[in-house]
C-alpha cells in the first residue's frame, strides 16, 4: 500500500474526484470541499487550500481512502468502497501521524471514523471521544404540500439587523457554544454575499433559514437550518427546508443531502417528513491528550 500527501488541490481533485463520486451522497462534504478549493473562487477562512492537509492511501486496485483536513475543522475521511479494511485504516493513520501535523479529530462513516481514530490515537499517544453521532440523509423528491406558510427568498443586507443573532443561536444549538454575537457580523455578510442563504417569511417576517453549503455534480448539501425559539413549533423549519430542497431540484440537482445530530429527534423527524431518507450513519470524533 502507498501513502501520499498533496500540496496542490488541483492534483488532489484530479486523482480523487472520480473515486469520491462513486458515493456522492456519502462523500459530499469532502467532495464539496475539494471542489471549492479546485475552483478557487472562494478562499475565505478554511476554504483556502494552502492550509489544507490532503492525503490518499492506494493499493493495486487504486485509491482506497481519501482524507482532507480544512483547519480549524477536523479530518474528513472517505472510502472508495466497502472493501476498505482495518489494514487500510492503519496504514493511513500511521502515514498521517508521521507527517507530524496535528489532527484534532475525524468525521466519517461509523466504521471508518472509529477505526481510523483507534489507530491514529495509538500512533500519536492520544485518546479519542465521540463528539457527535450523525445521520446522513438524501432527498430525491419533496413531499407535496409542505411549502408553507410563506415564500423563501435569498438573504439580503437588511437581514443584518438580526442575522448575527440567528448565527449565534445556530452555533449554540449545534455546537454548544458560539463566538460573541458582535464578532459574527462578517460571517453574516459572507453568507449573504454567497447567494446561498435562504429566508422563509411568514407575513413578510423572516422566521427560519437554510443554506446550500456545498454543490457537487448531481447533489447539493443543505445546512444552517435554524428557527429562532419564538417561531418554533409552527412548521417553519419544515416549510423552509422543503422549499429550499424543492428549489434545488428544480434548478437541476438530482438529490439534496443533509446531516443530522442523532441526539435531536425533532430534526430527524422533520427531515423525514419532507422526504429525506437515511443513507448511513456518521461519527465525529475528537482527539485529546491521553490522561
Amino acid at each position: 500500500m502507498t501513502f501520499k500527501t498533496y500540496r496542490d488541490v488541483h492534483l488532489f481533485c484530479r486523482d480523487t474526484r472520480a473515486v469520491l463520486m462513486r458515493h456522492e451522497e456519502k462523500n459530499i462534504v469532502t467532495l464539496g470541499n475539494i471542489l471549492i478549493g479546485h475552483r478557487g473562487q472562494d478562499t475565505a477562512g478554511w476554504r483556502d487550500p494552502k492550509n489544507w492537509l490532503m492525503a490518499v492511501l492506494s493499493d493495486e486496485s487504486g485509491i482506497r481512502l481519501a482524507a482532507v483536513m480544512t483547519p480549524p475543522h477536523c479530518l474528513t475521511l472517505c472510502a472508495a468502497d466497502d472493501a476498505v479494511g482495518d489494514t487500510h485504516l492503519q496504514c493511513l493513520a500511521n502515514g498521517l501521524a508521521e507527517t507530524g501535523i496535528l489532527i484534532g479529530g475525524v468525521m466519517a462513516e461509523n466504521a471508518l471514523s472509529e477505526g481510523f481514530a483507534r489507530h491514529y490515537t495509538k500512533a500519536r499517544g492520544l485518546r479519542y471521544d465521540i463528539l457527535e453521532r450523525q445521520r446522513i440523509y438524501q432527498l430525491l423528491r419533496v413531499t407535496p404540500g409542505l411549502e408553507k406558510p410563506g415564500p423563501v427568498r435569498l438573504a439580503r443586507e437588511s437581514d443584518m439587523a438580526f442575522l448575527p443573532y440567528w448565527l449565534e443561536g445556530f452555533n449554540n444549538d449545534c455546537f454548544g457554544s458560539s463566538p460573541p454575537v458582535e464578532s459574527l457580523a462578517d460571517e453574516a455578510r459572507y453568507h449573504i454575499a454567497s447567494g446561498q442563504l435562504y429566508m422563509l417569511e411568514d407575513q413578510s417576517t423572516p422566521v427560519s433559514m437554510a443554506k446550500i453549503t456545498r454543490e457537487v455534480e448531481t447533489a447539493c448539501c443543505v445546512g444552517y437550518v435554524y428557527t429562532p425559539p419564538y417561531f418554533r413549533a409552527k412548521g417553519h423549519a419544515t416549510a423552509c427546508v422543503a422549499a429550499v430542497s424543492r428549489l434545488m431540484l428544480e434548478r437541476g440537482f438530482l438529490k439534496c443531502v443533509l446531516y443530522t445530530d442523532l441526539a435531536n429527534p425533532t430534526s430527524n423527524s422533520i427531515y423525514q417528513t419532507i422526504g429525506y431518507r437515511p443513507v448511513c450513519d456518521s461519527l465525529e470524533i475528537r482527539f485529546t491528550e491521553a490522561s
Side-chain angles (χ1 to χ4, degrees), residues 67-215:
V68 183
M69 185 171 71
T70 58
H73 303 301
C74 66
L75 188 81
T76 57
L77 180 61
C78 302
D81 52 48
D82 294 335
V84 168
D86 194 62
T87 302
H88 296 93
L89 291 168
Q90 182 177 15
C91 289
L92 179 69
N94 289 342
L96 288 170
E98 289 170 5
T99 67
I101 299 172
L102 182 63
I103 296 173
V106 62
M107 185 177 73
E109 286 185 73
N110 285 2
L112 293 179
S113 193
E114 197 147 23
F116 174 84
R118 185 173 64 253
H119 291 298
Y120 181 78
T121 52
K122 181 179 180 181
R124 292 296 302 264
L126 303 171
R127 60 171 288 176
Y128 72 89
D129 299 287
I130 295 174
L131 191 62
E132 187 174 303
R133 298 183 184 274
Q134 304 168 332
R135 180 159 291 161
I136 302 174
Y137 288 87
Q138 72 170 356
L139 172 142
L140 305 178
R141 177 177 177 270
V142 177
T143 302
L146 296 177
E147 294 85 342
K148 297 177 181 180
V152 291
R153 59 160 176 83
L154 286 172
R156 55 199 182 209
E157 182 63 26
S158 60
D159 296 328
M160 285 298 298
F162 61 86
L163 185 53
Y165 298 93
W166 283 25
L167 292 176
E168 181 188 41
F170 171 80
N171 288 331
N172 284 326
D173 286 356
C174 291
F175 311 119
S177 63
S178 175
V181 68
E182 57 268 18
S183 70
L184 292 171
D186 287 345
E187 182 183 348
R189 288 194 173 91
Y190 171 84
H191 290 307
I192 292 171
S194 74
Q196 295 178 310
L197 179 64
Y198 291 86
M199 296 287 175
L200 174 76
E201 292 187 339
D202 184 3
Q203 298 182 10
S204 300
T205 298
V207 294
S208 188
M209 72 177 184
K211 185 183 179 186
I212 305 305
T213 59
R214 290 165 184 85
E215 296 180 359

Side-chain angles (χ1 to χ4, degrees), residues 36-63:
I36 287 171
H38 177 62
R39 292 164 183 155
Q41 298 168 334
D42 184 356
T43 57
W46 60 264
R47 300 166 187 82
D48 188 348
K50 293 178 182 178
N51 302 318
W52 294 2
L53 172 62
M54 299 170 281
V56 298
L57 185 80
S58 306
D59 61 17
E60 63 277 2
S61 300
I63 291 176

